[in-house]
Amino acid sequence: MRHIGQTGKFFTLSAIACVMVLSGCGSTPSPQTRPTAVTSAPVETAKIEENVTPEHKLLEAKKVWERTLNKEQRNTLLLQAADLYIQNQQPVLAQQVLYEVKEDGIAAANQPYYSLLVAKIYAGMPNASPDELLAMLENVAGTGETAFQKAELQTQLYSQQGNFAAAANSILKTKLPDDEKVEQVWRWVTSLPSESLSSIGSEYPALSPFVTLRELTEENAASPVKLARSLQQFKQVYRGHILEKAMPENIVQAAQLLDTGANDIAVLLPLSGRLERTGKVVKNGIMAAYYTDVEKRQNERRLPTLRFIDTNDADTQQLIEQIGDTKFIIGPLLKDTVESLIPNLPFGVNVLALNRPEEPIDASLTSTNSIVLTDSKSVTTDSAMETGLANEGAQGELEAIGLPTSLNYYGLAPEDEAKQLAEFIFNKGFRAPIVIAAQSSLYQRMDATFKRHWKNLNNAENKQRTNITSVTFNDSNSLREGITQALDVAQSNQRINQIEYMTNDEVYNMPRSRRDIDAIVAFASPQDTELLNPIIEASLNPFDGKQVPVYATSRSMDYDSGKNQWRDLQNVHFIDMPWLMPYHKWQPLQQEVDKAWENQNTMQKRLFAFGFDAYQLLPQLGMLNTLNYLTYEGLTGTLSLNQQGEVIRKQPQAIIRNEKVQMLSE
């Protein structure tokens, strides 16, 4: 195997010495393109001895060769010299020695040692191939320091590949302290998809206890007390295991949380004025969740108390007085109220905010329970659904000025949907989409978020171009014109007309669309999307007969328009709340809601689900903040928290087929 990223020969003293050593060889085997497959022999790496330098090893190798003509013994000393150069942070000199040894031919006994040294030099270099280096390490067998170094290299290379399960398995074989091993393995194991855990435990038995621990925490996510009891049983089963002595810190913290729940809750919503309808629909969702909670806890002596506070025309001091000693708050819903209220709340209040402020409030508060915020610069029904991202800040500064104990942000921000759509399409392998966006502020924000995130995803692949074709429209004419131009249909028609003119005969052909386009993304209203999809289908005429998929967000869906909408949206993929999908798991709740609030429109259904999930999340935020890999399956999506306390919402995908909404498992 040739060196990866060979930097050339440097005629230093050591290189000259190396050449002198090798000059006595009668013949030099031709270089091999890959390492020879040999039975691995245990090797031991060189250890820096006092007053021993790489040059000492080079001269010793020269003397051995002159005295015995033993090539294998000589090359062993040369490899030790290269090893010492690596340990002395002199990789270029090590490369030169290894190059000369390889050119002279590597004996089978020295091949494992050579492979280990090559991997040590090139691991982490930008042009090095982790796959090739890992293949080389397969030839390495050894004990002690050699085994540790091999494991360290494999850990590094597997993590570069993104194979975190293999990296976690390898790091357990290193000589890192137990607490550092557990910390890194736990970080990797909790980053893996839940559906892959069983296969990972089978493939890497050493990770099985970590997988069991994660499953244990997921099963007891709703109760710290039950989690603590389960951990005691876990320690008995895995007595003597590394996890018994070095339990992950966040697990210890989660088991120590108070299991009191949120028994006294204040909800801050606009219940009068121009946002009265919006506030009351969110309230209906909260009340539905409350009564669901009451049914579950009917045998308990103390049931949660719920107080609704109208934020309309109420100043900060009035709200503070009405909140009183309440420690759990849902809301406020309006951005201005959030900006004025949050900095003035007494310390010890847990807030789940339903909006974000215009300017970030320095609040990295992610300890236990919290509030949810949503976006509403101009206060409309649509903007009241938009959430903000949690803001970075300093815990110490917040405590110094008496800000809340914990602050979380949850909402239905359209930017979040655009980001999720970008990730989904990118992970499907598409790289050259057309992005069509209406010229309203809402859809332009989604368009900008999609493109920004798409660029980041491309950068992670070291791609310089994002390969996005943009179309912006403000009416049906500009929509049709933009699509035909983006698909190159207009140019195709022009070429056909030119041929007809030149031949003075009719050309029997059809205009062709571009072959590089692999997906189309639409950020438009339901009405515009109904117009857009037939135009796309009429314009697309792919050479290979495959249709280019069209993707949209929930902002393009209106479930009140009847069957005609689904006909015009045939084959459109979209993401939306589970609550609005057919055959969801909350059918009994759906029946009760339909009886209590007849004829809810699409917007009201989303706001209802938003309120329902806000109430259900509140008592679980302590565990979700402590164990960020945990999720909650809500009406609005699969919910989790990131390090900034933001509620991340992942929505399922569906497609329109035969004038019906069909769920997709992808």
Side-chain angles (χ1 to χ4, degrees):
M1 175 178 177
R2 298 189 64 82
H3 283 310
I4 308 168
Q6 175 67 31
T7 58
K9 298 182 179 180
F10 291 81
F11 293 95
T12 61
L13 173 63
S14 61
I16 294 173
C18 188
V19 173
M20 290 173 60
V21 171
L22 297 175
S23 62
C25 296
S27 62
T28 301
S30 59
Q32 301 172 350
T33 58
R34 294 188 64 84
T36 305
V38 297
T39 302
S40 298
V43 297
E44 292 301 332
T45 61
K47 296 181 180 179
I48 298 180
E49 304 172 18
E50 188 175 358
N51 299 324
V52 174
T53 66
E55 287 74 21
H56 285 136
K57 292 293 182 180
L58 292 174
L59 293 175
E60 186 180 351
K62 181 176 184 294
K63 291 177 182 179
V64 165
W65 175 253
E66 291 174 344
R67 186 174 66 251
T68 66
L69 295 180
N70 187 320
K71 179 178 176 181
E72 182 177 324
Q73 187 177 359
R74 177 206 66 186
N75 285 354
T76 298
L77 292 167
L78 291 176
L79 291 175
Q80 290 176 358
D83 199 349
L84 289 169
Y85 275 132
I86 295 171
Q87 295 177 53
N88 288 336
Q89 307 299 315
Q90 295 176 289
V92 174
L93 297 180
Q95 286 175 326
Q96 181 60 37
V97 174
L98 291 175
Y99 180 80
E100 298 295 349
V101 171
K102 181 176 183 297
E103 289 294 298
D104 189 57
I106 304 170
N110 282 326
Q111 182 69 55
Y113 195 9
Y114 169 81
S115 298
L116 179 66
L117 296 178
V118 170
K120 286 171 70 174
I121 290 176
Y122 291 102
M125 288 189 177
N127 295 325
S129 168
D131 292 342
E132 294 183 24
L133 294 177
L134 285 167
M136 294 188 74
L137 288 174
E138 291 178 1
N139 296 322
V140 178
T143 58
E145 187 64 27
T146 299
F148 291 142
Q149 291 188 19
K150 176 182 177 180
E152 290 171 3
L153 288 167
Q154 288 175 321
T155 300
Q156 179 181 351
L157 294 168
Y158 281 129
S159 63
Q160 290 175 10
Q161 285 182 325
N163 188 350
F164 299 126
N169 185 64
S170 296
I171 203 173
L172 289 173
K173 303 173 185 176
T174 67
K175 59 180 180 180
L176 284 173
D178 286 351
D179 57 343
E180 293 184 25
K181 287 182 183 178
V182 168
E183 180 183 1
Q184 184 58 69
V185 171
W186 187 241
R187 185 180 299 118
W188 278 328
V189 168
T190 54
S191 71
L192 299 169
S194 297
E195 57 270 18
S196 67
L197 294 180
S198 59
S199 61
I200 289 169
S202 301
E203 184 176 0
Y204 304 105
L207 298 181
S208 182
F210 292 89
V211 171
T212 300
L213 180 61
R214 175 174 168 181
E215 292 173 342
L216 180 153
T217 59
E218 291 174 342
E219 292 169 2
N220 296 279
S223 173
V225 172
K226 292 181 180 178
L227 174 61
R229 286 199 295 262
S230 297
L231 285 178
Q232 291 300 321
Q233 297 174 357
F234 176 87
K235 290 180 179 180
Q236 292 176 4
V237 173
Y238 292 98
R239 183 170 297 174
H241 189 270
I242 185 175
L243 279 171
E244 183 191 14
K245 298 175 290 184
M247 184 65 64
E249 184 61 28
N250 59 354
I251 297 295
V252 176
Q253 294 173 357
Q256 294 173 348
L257 292 173
L258 297 177
D259 201 9
T260 57
N263 291 311
D264 185 14
I265 306 169
V267 183
L268 279 62
L269 293 171
L271 300 176
S272 61
R274 54 178 177 155
L275 270 184
E276 177 181 354
R277 289 185 62 190
T278 297
K280 286 187 174 179
V281 174
V282 176
K283 176 184 176 181
N284 291 342
I286 293 174
M287 289 301 300
Y290 172 79
Y291 286 117
T292 300
D293 190 29
V294 167
E295 290 180 7
K296 293 180 180 178
R297 302 169 61 177
Q298 58 185 345
N299 294 327
E300 297 184 18
R301 292 183 179 180
R302 185 181 179 189
L303 296 175
T305 59
L306 203 58
R307 291 189 300 118
F308 288 90
I309 299 173
D310 187 0
T311 59
N312 185 51
D313 292 334
D315 61 29
T316 300
Q317 187 56 41
Q318 290 173 327
L319 293 177
I320 293 291
E321 292 174 357
Q322 292 186 70
I323 291 170
D325 296 330
T326 302
K327 299 302 181 183
F328 295 94
I329 299 175
I330 298 176
L333 184 65
L334 305 185
K335 181 179 301 183
D336 291 343
T337 311
V338 169
E339 291 176 333
S340 61
L341 178 65
I342 297 299
N344 292 288
L345 286 172
F347 185 76
V349 177
N350 301 274
V351 180
L352 179 59
L354 303 173
N355 207 320
R356 70 160 177 254
E358 186 71 27
E359 295 296 330
I361 296 175
D362 289 337
S364 58
L365 300 172
T366 53
S367 54
T368 52
N369 302 322
S370 1
I371 276 195
V372 185
L373 303 169
T374 54
D375 240 21
S376 59
K377 183 175 182 181
S378 59
V379 182
T380 64
T381 300
D382 186 66
S383 63
M385 294 177 57
E386 301 165 15
T387 42
L389 303 176
N391 308 295
E392 299 179 356
Q395 172 80 40
E397 294 178 4
L398 289 165
E399 291 181 348
I401 60 176
L403 285 181
T405 300
S406 72
L407 175 62
N408 287 105
Y409 302 85
Y410 165 52
L412 310 177
E415 292 89 346
D416 293 347
E417 294 192 38
K419 185 176 179 180
Q420 181 187 337
L421 202 59
E423 291 178 354
F424 177 80
I425 295 173
F426 192 88
N427 292 335
K428 289 279 289 183
F430 299 122
R431 293 297 180 270
I434 292 178
V435 181
I436 304 170
Q439 280 186 343
S440 72
S441 60
L442 170 65
Y443 299 112
Q444 287 299 304
R445 282 160 44 203
M446 297 177 75
D447 177 63
T449 300
F450 180 95
K451 291 173 181 175
R452 183 167 55 251
H453 194 56
W454 189 269
K455 182 178 180 180
N456 293 337
L457 294 170
N458 271 269
N459 290 342
E461 278 196 349
N462 296 319
K463 298 291 181 65
Q464 299 299 316
R465 295 181 56 195
T466 57
N467 297 326
I468 285 181
T469 302
S470 295
V471 174
T472 302
F473 70 94
N474 55 17
D475 56 31
S476 58
N477 291 331
S478 60
L479 173 61
R480 185 181 301 276
E481 181 180 353
I483 291 175
T484 55
Q485 288 182 353
L487 292 172
D488 203 22
V489 174
Q491 291 85 338
S492 179
N493 272 318
Q494 185 178 4
R495 289 189 292 271
I496 293 173
N497 293 335
Q498 289 176 344
I499 294 173
E500 288 179 342
Y501 177 79
M502 294 172 61
T503 60
N504 198 26
D505 199 0
E506 183 177 358
V507 176
Y508 292 95
N509 206 338
M510 294 180 63
R512 299 285 186 177
S513 55
R514 287 167 54 182
R515 302 183 66 177
D516 60 320
I517 296 300
D518 52 16
I520 296 175
V521 181
F523 297 121
S525 68
Q527 295 74 23
D528 286 334
T529 307
E530 290 180 45
L531 295 174
L532 178 153
N533 192 52
I535 295 174
I536 293 174
E537 289 189 341
S539 301
L540 285 172
N541 190 7
F543 285 88
D544 55 10
K546 294 182 179 180
Q547 291 296 319
V548 178
V550 178
Y551 292 89
T553 69
S554 68
R555 300 299 173 129
S556 295
M557 296 296 132
D558 184 353
Y559 298 83
D560 308 316
S561 298
K563 274 197 168 185
N564 288 342
Q565 173 191 353
W566 305 133
R567 181 193 62 203
D568 293 334
L569 295 177
Q570 178 72 6
N571 296 324
V572 171
H573 298 70
F574 68 98
I575 56 175
D576 208 339
M577 294 181 181
W579 181 242
L580 294 176
M581 295 290 104
Y583 313 115
H584 58 65
K585 64 180 183 180
W586 301 278
Q587 294 302 321
L589 175 63
Q590 180 75 69
Q591 294 172 8
E592 293 178 5
V593 171
D594 290 342
K595 291 179 182 178
W597 298 287
E598 296 181 359
N599 301 320
Q600 280 189 333
N601 61 34
T602 300
M603 181 68 69
Q604 290 171 330
K605 290 176 182 177
R606 293 194 174 112
L607 289 170
F608 173 89
F610 178 47
F612 190 97
D613 281 355
Y615 180 87
Q616 295 282 8
L617 271 178
L618 188 61
Q620 300 194 46
L621 289 173
M623 193 73 82
L624 292 173
N625 273 310
T626 307
L627 305 178
N628 294 116
Y629 58 89
L630 295 178
T631 60
Y632 170 75
E633 296 297 327
L635 274 60
T636 59
T638 300
L639 309 178
S640 61
L641 292 177
N642 63 15
Q643 294 293 337
Q644 290 74 43
E646 303 165 358
V647 177
I648 305 302
R649 187 168 61 100
K650 183 178 180 181
Q651 299 182 101
Q653 186 197 169
I655 189 173
I656 309 301
R657 286 182 179 150
N658 301 320
E659 301 184 12
K660 293 181 180 180
V661 177
Q662 296 184 12
M663 291 283 292
L664 295 175
S665 58
E666 298 176 281

